[in-house]
């Protein structure tokens, strides 16, 4: 019996790993906790580079100021958007360079839009705008009840042709998954196919990722990190606290 408990504690512990450039031996590299690996194939976890781990360390730190929290979370959001854009379809596109040679390249296919889950998701809009100039952005206001952790939908306003677009759904925290699943239900009710939704988030819990993949196995999640789990209040642990409060009001 004691052995079983010990084994499950081992499983719950997030893995640690040496991070850093290849020219250092593992003795010389610092050890850091990296993302938990999960079995869901539709979840893309950003490469656990020293840069990403350093950025995450900044925003997880409870002593980080609001100004730094905004700056460093924006940097991670930019990495998430860049990765998500790799998952959009392209078609062949050959151009001519100024020296008269042709280059066989590619061009993005189809239209995109962002949809942010208010309030915290709006914090990811800047990174999307930096990569996709004048991108249309819809809004869905969903708030998680502080007592029950259940989401409540208050409002949505989406581009009229949202069903014809690829949707980059934005929310930094995937805890139980209730809020984001409700947002996907709204998108599905407007005719957006599941496989044309990419959900971008900063930190996911294994439970949230599993709930999501069960209901929407064709939807892709792009996340920077899968954390250890949820606490008794359904906050992500070790997490970073309340993202919206830290970005907007603390
Ligand atoms: C947070 C977060 C997600 C949700 C995650 O928002 O931004 O939307 O909780 O939790 P879940 O996966 O268990 O649903 P919150 O409702 O606290 O509102 P906020 O964006 O105004 O901070
Ligand atoms: N919302 C947050 O902002 N943080 C959590 O850990 C869970 C929900």
């Amino acid at each position: 019996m004691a052995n079983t408990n010990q084994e499950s504690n081992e499983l719950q512990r997030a893995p640690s790993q040496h991070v850093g450039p290849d020219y250092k031996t593992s003795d010389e590299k610092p050890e850091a906790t990296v993302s938990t690996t999960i079995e869901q194939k539709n979840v893309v976890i950003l490469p656990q580079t020293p840069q990403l781990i350093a950025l995450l360390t900044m925003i997880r730190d409870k002593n980080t100021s609001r100004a730094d929290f905004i700056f460093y979370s924006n940097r991670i959001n930019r990495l998430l958007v860049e990765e998500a854009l790799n998952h959009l379809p392209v078609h062949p596109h050959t151009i001519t360079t100024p020296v008269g040679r042709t280059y066989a390249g590619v061009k993005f296919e189809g239209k995109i839009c962002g949809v942010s889950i208010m309030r915290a998701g709006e914090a990811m809009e800047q990174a999307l705008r930096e990569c996709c100039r004048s991108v249309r952005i819809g809004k869905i206001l969903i708030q998680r009840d502080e007592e029950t952790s259940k989401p409540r939908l208050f409002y949505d306003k989406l581009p009229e042709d949202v069903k014809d677009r690829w949707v980059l759904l934005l929310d930094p925290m995937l805890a139980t998954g209730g809020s984001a699943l409700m947002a996907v239900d709204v998108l599905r009710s407007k005719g957006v196919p599941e496989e044309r939704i990419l959900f971008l988030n900063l930190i996911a819990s294994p439970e949230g990722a599993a709930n999501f993949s069960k209901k929407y196995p064709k939807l892709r999640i792009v996340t920077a990190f899968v954390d250890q789990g949820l606490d008794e209040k359904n906050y992500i642990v070790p997490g970073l606290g309340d993202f919206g409060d830290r970005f907007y009001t603390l």
Side-chain angles (χ1 to χ4, degrees):
M1 201 62 184
N3 249 355
T4 318
N5 281 342
Q6 195 182 338
E7 276 162 26
S8 77
N9 285 342
E10 295 283 328
L11 278 176
Q12 279 167 15
R13 206 179 309 137
S16 283
Q17 174 175 298
H18 290 103
V19 291
D22 287 343
Y23 59 77
K24 285 190 172 173
T25 66
S26 56
D27 290 349
E28 293 171 320
K29 294 182 197 180
E31 188 156 304
T33 303
V34 297
S35 174
T36 303
T37 48
I38 50 171
E39 63 190 29
Q40 287 80 26
K41 297 275 180 286
N42 61 327
V43 180
V44 177
I45 305 172
L46 292 185
Q48 301 294 290
T49 60
Q51 179 187 197
L52 176 64
I53 299 294
L55 297 172
L56 282 162
T57 307
M58 285 297 296
I59 63 166
R60 285 180 189 277
D61 187 343
K62 67 175 185 174
N63 294 318
T64 293
S65 67
R66 197 171 71 87
D68 280 343
F69 186 86
I70 293 170
F71 180 81
Y72 290 105
S73 57
N74 276 342
R75 292 233 5 235
I76 305 175
N77 289 336
R78 181 71 191 250
L79 297 174
L80 287 167
V81 173
E82 299 281 6
E83 174 57 28
L85 295 178
N86 286 331
H87 296 264
L88 297 178
V90 289
H91 61 250
H93 183 63
T94 298
I95 51 89
T96 306
T97 72
V99 291
R101 301 296 173 96
T102 57
Y103 171 74
V106 294
K107 198 173 185 174
F108 281 122
E109 189 174 280
K111 298 183 288 185
I112 68 161
C113 70
V115 171
S116 56
I117 304 179
M118 296 159 71
R119 137 194 87 150
E122 290 179 297
M124 302 174 80
E125 292 178 5
Q126 182 184 329
L128 179 58
R129 286 211 174 87
E130 283 167 6
C131 297
C132 310
R133 227 174 351 164
S134 69
V135 62
R136 285 170 172 73
I137 298 185
K139 310 264 182 177
I140 303 181
L141 174 55
I142 292 172
Q143 292 286 285
R144 192 171 94 140
D145 184 289
E146 286 191 6
E147 296 300 316
T148 65
S149 305
K150 298 277 178 250
R152 286 181 63 200
L153 172 65
F154 291 94
Y155 164 93
D156 68 88
K157 202 81 178 174
L158 302 168
E160 272 184 11
D161 59 351
V162 67
K163 70 172 172 42
D164 302 320
R165 293 178 180 270
W166 284 79
V167 176
L168 274 61
L169 181 63
L170 310 174
D171 192 335
M173 305 304 278
L174 170 57
T176 65
S179 306
L181 282 170
M182 187 173 265
V184 175
D185 289 343
V186 172
L187 294 172
R188 297 281 298 112
S189 74
K190 311 277 179 191
V192 183
E194 178 185 339
E195 55 272 26
R196 262 204 267 121
I197 302 170
L198 294 160
F199 174 36
L200 280 59
N201 98 284
L202 260 163
I203 302 185
S205 75
E207 296 90 330
N211 290 341
F212 230 93
S213 302
K214 198 166 159 202
K215 184 156 184 206
Y216 291 117
K218 291 191 217 145
L219 180 155
R220 263 161 290 179
I221 297 177
V222 179
T223 187
F225 206 99
V226 179
D227 252 5
Q228 241 170 296
L230 298 172
D231 69 9
E232 59 293 345
K233 288 184 170 166
N234 284 323
Y235 268 75
I236 300 174
V237 285
L240 52 72
D242 188 307
F243 186 97
D245 285 355
R246 294 192 65 188
F247 197 95
Y248 291 113
T249 57
L250 278 184

